[in-house]
Amino acid sequence: MEMTQQQHIGGFWSYVHHDDEHESGRIARLRERLERSIRFFSGNREFRIFLDRKDIGWGQKWAERLASSINDALLLFPMITPSYFASAPCREEALAFRDRQTSLNRDDLILPIYYLTAAHLENAEHGTPDEVEVATLLRAHQYEDWRALRDTPESDPVYAKAIERLAQKAVEALNRASPPRAEAGAPPVLSPKFASPGKAGRSGGDAPASAESAQAMETVGDPEGRAEPGLIITFKVNPMPGRAQFTTISEAITRAPGGARILIAAGHYRENLVIDKPLELIGDGPCEDIIVEGEGPDTIVFDTNIGVVRNLTIRLTQKKAEDYCVWVQQGRLELEDCDLSSTGLASLAVMNNADPRVRRNRIHHGSQVGILVHNNGRGTYEENEIYGNAFAGIEVQSGADPILRRNRIYDGKASAILVNSQGRGMYEDNEIFGNTYSGIEVRTEAEPIVRRNRIHDGMQSGIYIHDLGRGTFEDNQINGNRMSGIFVASAGNPTFRRNAIFANSPSGIRIKEGGSGIFEDNELSDNGEAWDIDPLAEAQVKRSGNRET
């Protein structure tokens, strides 16, 4: 890669010392490996990432040093942890780089590494005003999500590949020329390949991945430029030659710069897509007329920090059981208003601390699971229709911790929601009905929080807890199920409070030998019988304040 000639080329490693001490030097070693990798990809053997404040005379001269180094190519690598926001020096470093970016008319000189989950980054209102200011700044940048890699052996090839990916982003940022400041009120400047004859140009970089309020601009030619802040570079895909810049989505993804919007016209696109840079993919027309069908493994793989996929029909027709229709490997994908179906393991799979926003989709008639959240996956899933899947509508396992709100999960051939293998999560205000097995099944040390759901008219029990399953169930309505409203068996140990349990047959609550739990202030009415407790389980069941009619 080419790098412009400048006085100094380097980066600053912004971190909290006691975080590195806790990690036994792992954070410092990451800096060393990243530095070597940047040297490899750039060919610049002098590149250095300064580790400690003593290296560059930080302290009171920190901001002055940045302001006076206008011709230098300098990057900031913030190591995001809860302690980062509490550290005044770290906050000062981040804000100083923000000011430097502004002075250079850049938005790509801060490359955050999200090392340990921090409430400041997850909740926009968390922390003091100073901490919120820095969190807002870092949230606006395309951070590298390192949380799943924190426990990965440093010798693992996956770990090495992640370092190389970050190094390549750094080299791309260093290679971009610093443009002159635009005059107030002047129109944004595009690179020559975007501009009309006679317009000035500039070289490119990554723009924000989503800016609904910005003015969109459709571009023509090879996408090597970037838009000014407030302008979205927009490309079109149409399978009819001559109607748009591209005839395939995969070519548009390859050639568009980070931050671009790709509008996809009606058509049947037989492609497998890898989204490895921040992009918006938006169907331009009725969702049912814009079909992306993967015939190989995984129709869409999302492997970047931020992006949008909206208004597409996405199918997987591959017969292999281990494949996914949409696979979110990291970052925050906004998946909205799509139609997903799959012949593979799941229509949507989320893992490795990925934290998508999944809203208003139809996820249906999968050969196995509708949504699979596993291996510490997270995400918020709201107002989706999940129906007709052969296995669970949603399966949560292996430390996954999602949030599900206001979804309708119905007509599945197994349990609507299966939480197992130490899965967690919060499940609120969902409607669950008409499933062949239980509305919610919890087992193998899983421990969800389940509140204000309507669980009704299932073919078996409304809620089934067994095999060391736990959980807290509050203010739910559980009714009309063909077996017990609640069934606890084989070392299940849940807590139920203030639930309305009615019109279930043969019993409202059944507890088998080996089951236990706490049942407080529940209302049981019109069931075959209120309680069916095995005599050997009676001593393990704690009941108080329940009303039975």
Side-chain angles (χ1 to χ4, degrees), residues 2-287:
E2 181 183 356
M3 193 168 284
T4 56
Q5 295 296 320
Q6 296 177 330
Q7 291 180 327
H8 298 93
I9 298 174
F12 301 139
W13 198 249
S14 181
Y15 74 113
V16 177
H17 281 273
H18 71 68
D19 286 343
D20 188 48
E21 292 171 359
H22 180 273
E23 297 293 274
S24 302
R26 186 181 177 107
I27 293 174
R29 291 193 298 275
L30 173 58
R31 179 207 67 87
E32 295 172 2
R33 292 184 62 175
L34 179 60
E35 183 180 77
R36 291 196 298 269
S37 191
I38 292 173
R39 290 176 178 175
F40 174 77
F41 284 108
S42 69
N44 187 328
R45 297 183 180 181
E46 302 302 319
F47 180 86
R48 183 180 178 191
I49 301 176
F50 298 100
L51 176 64
D52 291 299
R53 294 166 179 81
K54 64 184 181 182
D55 284 332
I56 53 173
W58 287 7
Q60 292 184 350
K61 294 187 178 180
W62 157 255
E64 179 184 342
R65 174 66 180 267
L66 288 182
S68 64
S69 58
I70 199 72
N71 293 321
D72 295 351
L74 303 174
L75 304 174
L76 182 73
F77 298 93
M79 295 297 298
I80 302 176
T81 67
S83 299
Y84 189 89
F85 299 97
S87 167
C90 288
R91 295 197 305 269
E92 291 171 3
E93 292 156 15
L95 295 177
F97 253 87
R98 177 197 62 188
D99 295 341
R100 175 183 173 81
Q101 283 194 145
T102 301
S103 69
L104 296 175
N105 201 20
R106 299 283 294 267
D107 61 5
D108 57 352
L109 301 179
I110 300 175
L111 301 177
I113 301 172
Y114 196 4
Y115 190 80
L116 183 66
T117 298
H120 301 78
L121 213 59
E122 304 299 318
N123 182 349
E125 299 178 354
H126 183 85
T128 67
D130 289 344
E131 294 167 354
V132 169
E133 182 181 15
V134 172
T136 301
L137 168 66
L138 297 180
R139 198 182 297 112
H141 287 74
Q142 298 154 12
Y143 61 75
E144 190 76 12
D145 197 334
W146 213 263
R147 291 171 293 176
L149 295 165
R150 177 172 168 254
D151 296 322
T152 301
E154 293 173 84
S155 60
D156 194 309
V158 172
Y159 192 82
K161 190 68 175 178
I163 293 173
E164 289 191 355
R165 183 169 61 239
L166 181 56
Q168 289 171 320
K169 289 183 179 179
V171 173
E172 289 171 3
L174 292 168
N175 280 338
R176 295 175 193 127
S178 298
R181 296 287 292 170
E183 295 295 329
V189 182
L190 300 178
S191 76
K193 292 194 177 184
F194 291 110
S196 300
K199 290 187 178 179
R202 57 178 285 185
S203 62
D206 291 296
S210 179
E212 288 296 326
S213 62
Q215 174 189 357
M217 178 172 180
E218 296 178 9
T219 59
V220 179
D222 293 334
E224 296 177 355
R226 59 177 277 187
E228 293 283 353
L231 191 68
I232 301 174
I233 300 177
T234 301
F235 300 94
K236 291 188 176 182
V237 179
N238 193 310
M240 182 68 70
R243 300 288 178 87
Q245 291 99 328
F246 305 106
T247 57
T248 67
I249 304 169
S250 47
E251 184 184 9
I253 291 173
T254 298
R255 298 179 63 189
R261 173 176 293 167
I262 299 173
L263 297 180
I264 304 168
H268 195 149
Y269 301 88
R270 299 183 183 275
E271 303 183 57
N272 293 81
L273 309 177
V274 177
I275 304 173
D276 56 2
K277 68 183 83 169
L279 293 171
E280 295 182 355
L281 271 62
I282 300 176
D284 189 12
C287 176

Side-chain angles (χ1 to χ4, degrees), residues 206-468:
D206 291 296
S210 179
E212 288 296 326
S213 62
Q215 174 189 357
M217 178 172 180
E218 296 178 9
T219 59
V220 179
D222 293 334
E224 296 177 355
R226 59 177 277 187
E228 293 283 353
L231 191 68
I232 301 174
I233 300 177
T234 301
F235 300 94
K236 291 188 176 182
V237 179
N238 193 310
M240 182 68 70
R243 300 288 178 87
Q245 291 99 328
F246 305 106
T247 57
T248 67
I249 304 169
S250 47
E251 184 184 9
I253 291 173
T254 298
R255 298 179 63 189
R261 173 176 293 167
I262 299 173
L263 297 180
I264 304 168
H268 195 149
Y269 301 88
R270 299 183 183 275
E271 303 183 57
N272 293 81
L273 309 177
V274 177
I275 304 173
D276 56 2
K277 68 183 83 169
L279 293 171
E280 295 182 355
L281 271 62
I282 300 176
D284 189 12
C287 176
E288 60 271 19
D289 293 340
I290 310 166
I291 301 170
V292 182
E293 183 171 351
E295 298 178 328
D298 311 317
T299 303
I300 296 180
V301 175
F302 183 81
D303 189 17
T304 186
N305 292 328
I306 191 168
V308 175
V309 174
R310 183 181 299 136
N311 195 43
L312 301 175
T313 296
I314 309 170
R315 298 175 181 167
L316 174 67
T317 56
Q318 173 78 6
K319 298 297 184 181
K320 291 185 179 179
E322 66 270 19
D323 295 332
Y324 308 123
C325 182
V326 176
W327 185 7
V328 184
Q329 295 185 346
Q330 64 158 314
R332 179 166 292 180
L333 169 66
E334 294 183 19
L335 180 67
E336 299 177 334
D337 304 307
C338 292
D339 187 297
L340 276 64
S341 59
S342 171
T343 57
L345 177 57
S347 294
L348 171 62
V350 178
M351 61 186 298
N352 291 344
N353 286 300
D355 191 19
R357 300 295 180 263
V358 180
R359 303 184 181 102
R360 302 180 304 276
N361 301 282
R362 294 183 301 275
I363 302 172
H364 61 96
H365 295 104
S367 295
Q368 296 192 51
V369 178
I371 300 175
L372 175 62
V373 190
H374 65 124
N375 291 345
N376 300 306
R378 299 185 298 154
T380 300
Y381 307 78
E382 296 176 328
E383 301 176 0
N384 301 285
E385 297 274 332
I386 304 167
Y387 59 95
N389 295 287
F391 290 3
I394 301 172
E395 182 172 352
V396 177
Q397 60 172 250
S398 306
D401 193 12
I403 298 172
L404 279 75
R405 298 191 182 107
R406 301 183 301 279
N407 302 282
R408 283 167 35 100
I409 311 165
Y410 57 95
D411 293 347
K413 308 306 178 185
S415 298
I417 298 176
L418 171 61
V419 190
N420 64 1
S421 302
Q422 299 181 332
R424 301 185 301 277
M426 183 175 295
Y427 308 80
E428 297 179 331
D429 304 302
N430 302 286
E431 184 175 13
I432 301 167
F433 62 96
N435 296 282
T436 302
Y437 291 173
S438 303
I440 299 177
E441 181 180 355
V442 182
R443 67 189 190 204
T444 52
E445 298 184 315
E447 193 167 5
I449 297 173
V450 181
R451 297 184 178 129
R452 300 184 306 276
N453 300 279
R454 293 180 57 209
I455 306 167
H456 62 94
D457 297 304
M459 302 297 106
Q460 296 193 27
S461 299
I463 298 176
Y464 178 31
I465 302 104
H466 61 112
D467 290 324
L468 300 176

